């Protein structure tokens, strides 16, 4: 089947490549010629394990191509996926929908046959219905808007697209074409549906809320265990053992119960803020008021780690040499958007320390955000003469570290485990001062 994907950022490029992998004839569209040129050469503009192999395989097979031409895309297919960014507005909590509106306003006048625009982007509830009216007002043919939210995890995006936990499709159930839209999307996802991936058909608002509710729940779970870790520190309890005990309860589960420096990235922080903003617009701000504290807990974790670093350096960071291992917001990603690790490194630098960072994949992105930090090309280089080492992203390269790897490199044998991912007994037995979050 033919389809297009508008936006070739993290979401759009992955979706385009994976739709081609499912056997469809796909055109990816972006206004950035540089991005289009890279993708056309089989080079992803970001790091995602396995994505470039999928890109190259489908480019070579002729099932995938990229363009800047909306006219070419409009003529190519009648199913158009919308995967552009919805960042947080500057100075506000609300989502910025300019890119979404721009795609719809540019595409719909070019459509010459009945078409469906299928939203993948995370948007405030009510956006899809408004876009449907907007699209029909500017098109000479029938246009439907549906919403098919993504649930990708960075680092697992290819497998999450090809074999998702669930497929959610929101349609305008008051429109005569709702059944036609459902049939088209079922055809596109025929392979995962045949593999027993659950397919849930909903109204537009439910589909939109499914995505933001999932992110709000995950953010709440992370902030919950981080709040409990503060109590553990005050009492001498061990939050890692406590989390294991909670995780055995099938109603709770162990995932997302790892105390640490908190969550970040391009989704959870901005999505819970947009959720709060939209709830306020709807007069339901009281219903999600707890998310404000979820956000505050998460932000405070960063200051907590900075304060731990200051204590490790004798009470002040001025003049200290600090090594930070990890700047991406999570392992298997080069994404530094709202990264706790990079934010902590920047705050330590602002307190007067000399900060040297290393990350296996995110150095280039980090340097663009914080050019005043020092950037190393290895763990050893980053830790040379360090007064304290901070592990802030749990890359395998860092969790595999042993005290003897750094004994002769650092100035002071002191380590802060911002992800509780190291064996503290091993480090302490080797004579290191080890500090974790919520651990004795």
């Amino acid at each position: 089947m033919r389809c297009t994907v508008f936006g070739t950022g993290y979401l759009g490029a992955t979706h385009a490549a994976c739709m081609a992998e499912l056997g469809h004839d796909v055109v990816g569209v972006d206004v950035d010629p540089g991005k289009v040129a890279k993708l056309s050469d089989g080079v992803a503009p970001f790091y995602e394990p396995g994505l470039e192999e999928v890109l190259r395989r489908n480019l070579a097979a002729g099932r995938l191509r990229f363009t800047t031409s909306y006219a070419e895309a409009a003529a190519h297919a009648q199913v158009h996926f919308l995967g552009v960014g919805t960042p947080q507005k500057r100075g506000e909590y609300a989502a910025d929908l300019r890119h979404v509106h721009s795609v719809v306003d540019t595409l719909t006048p070019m459509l010459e046959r009945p078409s469906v625009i299928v939203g993948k982007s995370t948007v405030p509830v009510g956006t899809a219905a408004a876009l449907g009216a907007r699209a029909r007002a500017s098109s000479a043919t029938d246009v439907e808007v549906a919403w098919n939210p993504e649930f990708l995890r960075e680092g697992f995006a290819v497998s999450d697209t090809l074999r998702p936990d669930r497929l959610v499709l929101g349609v305008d159930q008051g429109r005569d074409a709702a059944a036609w839209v459902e049939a088209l999307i079922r055809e596109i996802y025929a392979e995962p549906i045949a593999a027993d991936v659950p397919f849930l058909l909903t109204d537009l608002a439910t589909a939109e809320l499914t995505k933001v509710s999932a992110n709000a729940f995950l953010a709440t779970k992370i902030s919950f265990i981080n709040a409990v870790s503060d109590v553990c520190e005050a009492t001498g309890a061990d939050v890692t053992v406590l989390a294991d005990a909670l995780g055995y309860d099938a109603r709770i589960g162990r995932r997302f119960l790892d105390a640490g420096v908190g969550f970040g990235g391009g989704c959870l922080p901005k999505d819970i803020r947009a959720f709060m903003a939209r709830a306020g617009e709807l007069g339901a701000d009281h219903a999600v008021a707890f998310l404000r504290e979820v956000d505050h807990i998460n932000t405070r974790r960063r200051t907590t780690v900075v304060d731990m670093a200051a204590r490790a350096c004798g009470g002040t960071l001025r003049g200290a040499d600090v090594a930070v291992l990890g700047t991406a917001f999570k392992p298997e990603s080069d994404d530094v958007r709202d990264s706790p690790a990079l934010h902590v490194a920047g705050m330590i630098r602002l307190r007067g320390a000399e900060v040297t960072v290393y990350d296996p994949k995110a150095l280039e992105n980090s340097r663009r955000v914080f050019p005043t930090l020092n950037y190393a090309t290895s763990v050893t280089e980053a830790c040379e003469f360090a007064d304290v080492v901070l592990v802030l992203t749990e890359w395998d390269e860092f969790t595999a570290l042993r005290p003897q790897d750094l004994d002769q490199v650092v100035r002071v044998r002191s380590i802060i485990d911002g992800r509780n991912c190291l064996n503290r007994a091993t480090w302490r037995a080797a004579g290191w001062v080890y500090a974790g979050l919520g651990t004795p």
Side-chain angles (χ1 to χ4, degrees), residues 168-193:
V168 176
L169 176 66
V171 299
D172 188 338
Q173 296 177 335
R175 302 276 301 171
D176 292 339
W180 171 71
V181 172
E182 179 188 355
L184 283 175
I185 304 309
R186 282 185 177 274
E187 183 178 347
I188 286 174
Y189 290 125
E191 186 174 320
I193 291 172

Side-chain angles (χ1 to χ4, degrees), residues 81-387:
F81 287 100
L82 182 59
V84 295
T86 54
Q88 186 176 332
K89 285 183 179 178
R90 186 178 296 276
E92 299 181 37
Y93 273 10
D96 185 344
L97 299 178
R98 283 179 299 170
H99 304 305
V100 171
H101 292 155
S102 177
V103 171
V104 171
D105 292 345
T106 306
L107 173 66
T108 50
M110 299 180 182
L111 298 175
E112 297 181 351
R113 55 179 161 168
S115 301
V116 57
I117 298 171
V118 185
K120 298 293 296 179
S121 307
T122 304
V123 295
V125 62
T127 300
L131 285 177
R134 189 176 186 127
R136 286 186 284 274
S138 61
S139 177
T141 187
D142 292 332
V143 182
E144 302 298 325
V145 171
W147 223 258
N148 170 222
E150 56 85 14
F151 301 97
L152 306 185
R153 299 166 297 163
E154 293 195 30
F156 302 91
V158 171
S159 58
D160 284 350
T161 303
L162 296 174
R163 287 293 182 273
D165 292 331
R166 72 286 204 195
L167 288 163
V168 176
L169 176 66
V171 299
D172 188 338
Q173 296 177 335
R175 302 276 301 171
D176 292 339
W180 171 71
V181 172
E182 179 188 355
L184 283 175
I185 304 309
R186 282 185 177 274
E187 183 178 347
I188 286 174
Y189 290 125
E191 186 174 320
I193 291 172
D196 295 326
V197 171
F199 184 95
L200 290 82
L201 183 68
T202 76
D203 56 82
L204 292 172
T206 300
E208 292 166 317
L209 281 170
T210 298
K211 170 63 177 178
V212 294
S213 298
N215 280 352
F217 183 84
L218 295 176
T220 301
K221 195 171 182 181
I222 296 167
S223 282
F224 169 80
I225 199 64
N226 279 331
V228 170
S229 77
D230 286 343
V231 180
C232 288
E233 288 185 10
T235 59
D238 189 333
V239 73
T240 59
V241 178
L242 183 151
D244 288 340
L246 291 176
Y248 283 112
D249 188 326
R251 298 168 299 174
I252 298 173
R254 183 62 175 83
R255 295 179 66 191
F256 287 84
L257 280 181
D258 293 312
V261 72
F263 59 80
C267 291
L268 262 61
K270 64 100 175 171
D271 286 352
I272 64 170
R273 293 165 192 158
F275 196 7
M276 286 188 278
R278 183 57 177 149
E281 293 169 356
L282 295 169
D285 49 320
H286 60 282
V288 294
F290 70 95
L291 288 178
R292 192 170 299 276
E293 184 56 25
V294 167
D295 197 16
H296 288 168
I297 290 169
N298 190 58
T299 302
R300 288 197 298 268
R301 299 305 284 176
R302 304 175 186 194
T303 305
T304 295
V305 174
V306 174
D307 291 340
M308 290 171 67
R311 288 195 297 273
C313 294
T316 180
L317 287 164
R318 189 170 299 279
D321 285 304
V322 178
V324 172
L325 302 183
T327 58
F329 88 97
K330 64 176 288 186
E332 298 303 327
S333 172
D334 64 354
D335 194 344
V336 298
R337 290 175 293 174
D338 208 351
S339 167
L342 188 57
H343 190 193
V344 166
M347 287 194 291
I348 291 173
R349 178 70 181 88
L350 289 173
R351 289 203 190 181
E354 198 66 29
V355 182
T356 304
V357 302
Y358 168 68
D359 188 284
K361 296 294 180 182
L363 289 183
E364 184 178 337
N365 290 339
S366 302
R367 189 178 282 111
R368 282 196 288 265
V369 178
F370 277 107
T372 57
L373 300 175
N374 300 317
Y375 290 91
T377 57
S378 68
V379 171
T380 302
E381 183 185 349
C383 294
E384 192 170 4
F385 304 119
D387 295 305

Side-chain angles (χ1 to χ4, degrees), residues 33-45:
K35 229 186 243 187
V36 166
K38 265 190 169 184
L39 287 163
S40 298
D41 288 337
V43 178

